[in-house]
Amino acid sequence: MGSLFRSEEVCLAQLFLQSASAYSCISELGERGLLQFRDLNPKVSPFQRRFVGEVRRCEEMEKTFTFLQQELRAAGRVLGPCPESPRAPVAREALRVQEQSEQLAQELREVTRNRASLRGSLRDLRQYLHVLREGQRFTSLPAPLGSPPRPRALSEREPTLDPSLHQYLERKINFVAGVIHPWRVTAFERLLWRACRGYLVASFVEMPEPMEDPVTGESITWVIFLISYWGEQIGQKIHKISDCFHCQVYPYPESEANRTDTITKLHGQIQELSVTLEETEKYLAEVLDRVALALPTWHVQVQKMKAIYLVLNQCSFDVTEKCLIAEVWCPVQDLTQVQDALRRGSYQSGSSVECFVQRVPTSESPPTLIRTNKFTAGFQSIVDAYGVASYQEVNPAPYAIITFPFIFAIMFGDVGHGLLMFLFALWMVLYEDSPRLRRGTSEIWLTFFEGRYLILLMGAFSIYTGFIYNECFSKAIAIFPSAWSVATMANHSSWSSVYLATHPLLTLDPNVTGVFRGPYPFGIDPIWSLATNHLNFLNSFKMKMSVVLGIVHMGFGVTLGVFNHVHFQQRHRLVLEFLPEMIFLLALFGYLVFLIFYKWIKFSAADSMVAPSILIHFIDMFLFTSNAENLPLYPGQVPVQMVLVVLALASVPILLLGTPLYQWCRQRAPRTVRPGSPLATGEQEPLLEGQEAGNSVNATMEDVESGGHSPDAKYSDFAEIFMHQAIHTIEYCLGCVSNTASYLRLWALSLAHAQLSEVLWTMVMRNGFVGLSYVGGVVLVPVFAAFAVLTVAILLVMEGLSAFLHALRLHWVEFQNKFYVGAGYKLCPFAFAPDTWE
């Protein structure tokens, strides 16, 4: 893991790759994920690049893989992940993969086609068999003489015509038999009757077993029909109508003996086709097994091969076309690994010429690289959502690891709620290697899982602030004995029976000896939960706490700007920007923090009635006046406040004009040229070494002084510099006022969370405790279930999300804008494995 305080040093470099070993070298670099390649052919069409043929071959193989995967999915098989990460194949191995995949695809097509043909034939034979069986019931001969007569019942399975009447018919009876879709039976029967004018007898019966529809693939119960008619013209009409309704018509033998022979033959053919289809299914399963075994590895190999050729298309050839040149952004500390990867790639390809890397000077701002792990990745993503850090500026993420959960916990302070959140995050942390948790389909769940360590710290800090507020599901916990004594107050007061009867509320006076025995050891005294002025007390406490923490947080943000000024060698900003900013902040709002603590220390319960108002003093401070009714906190308060206001106002023109005048004077001053320097000889100014300048080797002196961090590198005109500094000054001075007020959201949301928790307890759980009989215990079960659901849904999810968003805003707007520009772009290394840096 690299430096989390600021981004790593990144340089621009050129790779010189011998043509024969370029593929192996890029493959080795992709396995390690070290470099971000730049496109040296931006104006060349993708269809005109050198390795477009190889890319197309990879795409053709991917199409073949897609077909194989679809066949696996159609067979109900799930393609598993690749057990290991294979390396990119060489040319001979890639040709073998292509041949084997195409051969498997061809076998699958043939076997699938044969299986479909066999299934269709088997389905037709079975349907024909059912047609003949059901047809015999309609056209069977009567029983011989002497046999007992069958009972006549009205059934559609009885013969359509009485066979005894055959000898009286002058015309020959013909039959049309087949199957039809059940949805078309009604329309088919109606059309037959209207078209043939009743010169037919049609019988319909459902098939005993469902069969597959060849068009939709669904399993349906077909309907068998048998139509007896007279005359050839009627038969032609019936056949045409059957074709229109997509009926499957089968030949129907006239004699019963022929029908019996046909049924026997169908049984034999069905048995033979079943055996053949079973063997075909076994062979298809074997082919699918081979596909499922080889396809994951092939897929990864072809993806890597395609990625390598796409990178090679970004390279340029030298004049002899025997060497490829690539430009890359590379972390300086990884240059030795890059050279080692190039050496291994050259060795694997068998090339006698070794590839090498060379650093290249540039004035372009390098990308930002901040290496993270599974713990810091969640906090870094919060910062990156605001903006990726500019190159080598101070990274707010390491400080957000502490400040973000703490500010969240101030608004979410409750022992019970914090414990539930902590246990939920702890469960995700303990089972973070579970594939089921990592591969969730819900985007909301994946968001929670990625931020599991952030939620863990938020829950832990909420438990701590919950003990400070002494709240657990809105109820106080008496860990230590209360510092207030009611018995002492009763013994030293004039409370009588009449007084107690007429006064339901009693006041404890801390000025009475023994009533208040000192501060509570940790947090808020639990007796305050019983007081009627509980809300007033907590409002004062939390409001002052929010102001103090907000000013400390903003002052820390301004202080972090010092590290940027020193690192980028902008020491004039320490005097012209940092010093006036701190004077303005501390002279006004730092003094407010001083007044809060001074009043807490100086005034006790004995003289609390004469304690002056801090708010009135702060207003009088800006008006340069004093209020006779509001006594001063200390002698000489008014002159001190006047001096502080004057210092704050005097820092504004320094902040407004200091940096522009410095830049203007520097541009007007003649530059001294040392003898023998590049400027004296007419050469280009050399690059500074990273150790001397504290910056990348790619930066010139001007870039080092500006650092690419401040607007000085962008604006050379004095008017533009002044305008930018004026905007910065107005934003900072007004922001100190608005941002301080913005931190009062800590007080507001903490109060809202406590009140919601109390309302939920009063309106739900309290009703379950009201009943004193057995009925009350029974009612408590559903009441507690409702209380638990509402606690999770409202207080944990909704209130937690609200506190999270407000903590996010305080970090982005009130904290990070004091020192953080966030105008960079991430280093995206070429890597086969995802999440290379995490």
Side-chain angles (χ1 to χ4, degrees), residues 440-723:
T441 56
S442 174
E443 185 177 356
I444 298 178
W445 165 253
L446 293 178
T447 302
F448 280 119
F449 185 75
E450 292 297 327
R452 57 191 180 278
Y453 287 98
L454 175 61
I455 300 175
L456 184 73
L457 289 186
M458 291 193 304
F461 277 73
S462 297
I463 296 175
Y464 169 75
T465 55
F467 279 114
I468 294 293
Y469 299 156
N470 202 349
E471 290 184 4
C472 180
F473 297 110
S474 78
K475 294 302 173 185
I477 305 174
I479 303 177
F480 305 100
S482 175
W484 293 81
S485 175
V486 181
T488 305
M489 185 69 192
N491 295 331
H492 293 79
S493 64
S494 58
W495 292 350
S496 61
S497 300
V498 178
Y499 183 85
L500 294 176
T502 57
H503 292 78
L505 300 178
L506 302 175
T507 302
L508 300 181
D509 188 359
N511 293 319
V512 177
T513 305
V515 173
F516 181 69
R517 297 189 293 268
Y520 194 67
F522 186 79
I524 303 296
D525 197 308
I527 200 174
W528 280 106
S529 62
L530 305 176
T532 56
N533 59 341
H534 171 61
L535 193 58
N536 294 333
F537 170 74
L538 286 184
N539 275 344
S540 177
F541 166 72
K542 292 182 178 181
M543 181 177 62
K544 293 181 175 62
M545 176 195 64
S546 302
V547 173
V548 172
L549 292 177
I551 294 173
V552 171
H553 199 213
M554 290 190 297
F556 179 64
V558 176
T559 305
L560 288 179
V562 175
F563 297 97
N564 283 329
H565 303 329
V566 174
H567 177 76
F568 295 117
Q569 293 193 354
Q570 300 171 333
R571 301 187 184 277
H572 64 280
R573 293 181 178 272
L574 295 174
V575 179
L576 301 178
E577 290 189 10
F578 167 72
L579 190 59
E581 286 178 354
M582 288 300 295
I583 291 176
F584 185 85
L585 180 65
L586 297 180
L588 298 180
F589 302 99
Y591 179 70
L592 177 61
V593 175
F594 166 75
L595 292 181
I596 292 173
F597 280 99
Y598 185 83
K599 182 179 178 181
W600 277 346
I601 295 173
K602 181 178 180 181
F603 293 92
S604 62
D607 54 356
S608 60
M609 300 301 295
V610 296
S613 172
I614 296 178
L615 181 60
I616 295 178
H617 274 304
F618 197 61
I619 295 175
D620 293 339
M621 175 180 175
F622 289 95
L623 300 177
F624 292 96
T625 60
S626 60
N627 193 335
E629 297 180 358
N630 196 43
L631 299 178
L633 287 169
Y634 57 89
Q637 181 179 357
V638 175
V640 171
Q641 293 181 164
M642 290 182 178
V643 172
L644 292 177
V645 173
V646 170
L647 286 176
L649 295 177
S651 63
V652 175
I654 299 176
L655 185 62
L656 177 64
L657 302 174
T659 300
L661 291 177
Y662 174 82
Q663 295 293 337
W664 181 73
C665 294
R666 187 178 176 190
Q667 292 176 4
R668 295 290 300 271
R671 300 184 63 181
T672 58
V673 180
R674 295 170 300 184
S677 65
L679 295 178
T681 58
E683 300 177 359
Q684 187 179 3
E685 183 178 356
L687 299 177
L688 299 178
E689 293 298 330
Q691 294 80 4
E692 299 176 0
N695 201 351
S696 171
V697 295
N698 316 341
T700 60
M701 175 66 77
E702 183 178 356
D703 295 325
V704 169
E705 292 179 354
S706 65
H709 180 77
S710 85
D712 302 346
K714 301 179 181 178
Y715 306 108
S716 58
D717 185 58
F718 175 77
E720 294 184 4
I721 296 176
F722 176 78
M723 183 61 65

Side-chain angles (χ1 to χ4, degrees), residues 199-394:
Y199 287 95
L200 57 83
V201 177
S203 300
F204 297 88
V205 62
E206 288 187 352
M207 191 176 293
E209 60 178 347
M211 289 190 181
E212 182 183 5
D213 187 354
V215 179
T216 62
E218 298 178 355
S219 180
I220 61 176
T221 302
W222 295 89
V223 175
I224 300 173
F225 63 88
L226 179 64
I227 304 172
S228 57
Y229 64 92
W230 297 267
E232 295 182 359
Q233 293 183 354
I234 299 298
Q236 293 176 0
K237 289 183 179 181
I238 294 174
H239 281 285
K240 288 181 180 180
I241 295 174
S242 300
D243 292 339
C244 292
F245 280 87
H246 303 285
C247 301
Q248 184 67 35
V249 179
Y250 297 98
Y252 192 79
E254 298 179 0
S255 64
E256 187 171 357
N258 292 339
R259 290 195 293 270
T260 304
D261 294 340
T262 306
I263 290 176
T264 304
K265 293 179 182 179
L266 287 177
H267 277 295
Q269 293 176 2
I270 289 174
Q271 187 174 4
E272 292 177 359
L273 276 180
S274 300
V275 174
T276 306
L277 182 59
E278 184 178 356
E279 295 297 328
T280 304
E281 294 281 358
K282 289 182 180 179
Y283 181 70
L284 178 61
E286 294 177 0
V287 177
L288 290 176
D289 289 339
R290 284 188 287 163
V291 171
L293 183 62
L295 188 57
T297 303
W298 289 349
H299 191 67
V300 173
Q301 286 181 324
V302 172
Q303 280 186 333
K304 290 185 177 182
M305 183 169 63
K306 182 180 178 181
I308 292 172
Y309 283 121
L310 289 176
V311 169
L312 291 176
N313 278 334
Q314 298 178 356
C315 304
S316 64
F317 282 84
D318 64 347
V319 180
T320 61
E321 294 192 355
K322 294 182 179 179
C323 177
L324 280 79
I325 302 175
E327 283 191 3
V328 295
W329 290 112
C330 175
V332 173
Q333 72 172 17
D334 292 340
L335 283 173
T336 55
Q337 296 188 40
V338 173
Q339 187 61 53
D340 180 66
L342 295 178
R343 188 179 300 110
R344 289 193 58 182
S346 301
Y347 175 76
Q348 291 173 1
S349 63
S351 176
S352 58
V353 180
E354 186 173 320
C355 305
F356 61 94
V357 58
Q358 180 181 356
R359 297 164 74 168
V360 178
T362 181
S363 59
E364 185 177 351
S365 178
T368 299
L369 169 61
I370 299 176
R371 305 184 199 249
T372 59
N373 53 29
K374 62 183 180 181
F375 176 76
T376 59
F379 300 94
Q380 187 64 50
S381 62
I382 290 177
V383 175
D384 292 342
Y386 174 82
V388 179
S390 301
Y391 180 62
Q392 287 204 330
E393 74 169 333
V394 172

Side-chain angles (χ1 to χ4, degrees), residues 139 141 166 172-175 251-259:
T139 60
L141 295 175
H166 285 186
K172 180 181 178 181
I173 299 178
N174 298 314
F175 295 95
Y252 192 79
E254 298 179 0
S255 64
E256 187 171 357
N258 292 339
R259 290 195 293 270

Side-chain angles (χ1 to χ4, degrees), residues 121-130 266 269-270 273:
S121 301
L122 185 60
R123 182 180 60 252
D124 290 342
L125 292 177
R126 287 178 175 173
Q127 288 181 351
Y128 191 17
L129 179 62
H130 285 297
L266 287 177
Q269 293 176 2
I270 289 174
L273 276 180

